Amino acid sequence: MNILEDAKAMVLELYASLCSKIGGQPLEKVVDVISRSNRLFLAGTGCSEMILRVFANRLVHLGFRVGMIGDLISPVPKKGDIILFSSKSGENPALLNAARKARLHDIKMVVITASPESTLAKMADLTVLLPGELPEFKNIKQAGLAPERTETLFELLSFLIYDVITASLMKKRQPEKVCLK
């Protein structure tokens, strides 16, 4: 096998496992919420923030109005907007502070997390739970195809979920509104 085939096998194995664990229903709701939102704001820290920035870029190319919570040049979210939080633990103080402010202004919240009992998950209007452990990921790490950090699984699954959401939103958008260059 070559590096491309190894990577393909890893992604397909993770994707198949992820699909079997979360099912389609929460993602269909997320796609619906995003497609009906006035503006979408994304909130995460560390690697989750970096992954959300890639997702934000894709959404902008699809014609969505997107901002990042914490960016100096992003407008302030208001009623009618959506905030999508990404946090493995669901307990990051900066994200919890943003969620509390959102709740005060009646802003809808979507949370992508691996911690269903977290404070952030409990505050959410809609939660997508990513598995914290997958036996397939252990095999992938043992084969040397993924780093040993435990956060890596959440990061990989987040990328996959945002790809699924992006693909679904592309199908819903009018072709003339899609501007992928």
Side-chain angles (χ1 to χ4, degrees):
M1 251 195 218
N2 64 34
I3 192 167
L4 187 57
E5 289 298 317
D6 290 345
K8 180 175 122 182
M10 177 188 76
V11 168
L12 291 175
E13 188 174 355
L14 282 174
Y15 186 72
S17 182
L18 175 63
C19 290
S20 71
K21 298 276 191 274
I22 68 168
Q25 192 55 41
L27 292 180
E28 289 171 8
K29 289 179 182 174
V30 171
V31 168
D32 186 53
V33 165
I34 291 173
S35 65
R36 290 186 290 114
S37 68
N38 178 34
R39 294 180 302 180
L40 176 66
F41 290 85
L42 305 174
T45 59
C47 290
S48 290
E49 180 182 6
M50 296 306 292
I51 293 165
L52 285 172
R53 287 185 181 281
V54 172
F55 182 48
N57 187 50
R58 291 176 178 167
L59 293 175
V60 167
H61 286 293
L62 291 177
F64 289 93
R65 295 172 54 197
V66 182
M68 293 294 298
I69 297 294
D71 273 3
L72 293 176
I73 60 170
S74 283
V76 176
K78 59 185 178 186
K79 189 173 181 166
D81 295 336
I82 304 295
I83 301 177
L84 185 146
F85 292 88
S86 179
S87 173
K88 181 182 179 187
S89 70
E91 299 296 342
N92 179 284
L95 297 181
L96 291 175
N97 186 45
R100 287 184 191 101
K101 288 179 183 176
R103 188 57 62 221
L104 286 174
H105 296 284
D106 199 29
I107 297 168
K108 300 293 183 200
M109 294 183 283
V110 175
V111 172
I112 311 287
T113 187
S115 306
E117 299 302 317
S118 67
T119 306
L120 200 54
K122 289 177 182 175
M123 294 176 75
D125 297 292
L126 179 58
T127 302
V128 175
L129 180 63
L130 299 183
E133 292 291 325
L134 289 175
E136 297 85 353
F137 189 65
K138 191 174 186 178
N139 298 336
I140 289 167
K141 284 197 309 189
Q142 287 173 346
L145 299 174
E148 287 297 318
R149 292 181 38 241
T150 57
E151 294 84 9
T152 304
L153 178 61
F154 184 78
E155 295 161 8
L156 288 172
L157 297 180
S158 294
F159 261 122
L160 292 173
I161 286 299
Y162 300 137
D163 279 347
V164 168
I165 293 169
T166 301
S168 296
L169 288 167
M170 283 179 72
K171 283 184 177 180
K172 288 186 104 154
R173 299 297 278 192
Q174 298 298 324
E176 63 272 6
K177 290 187 179 181
V178 177
C179 165
L180 294 177
K181 294 180 181 176

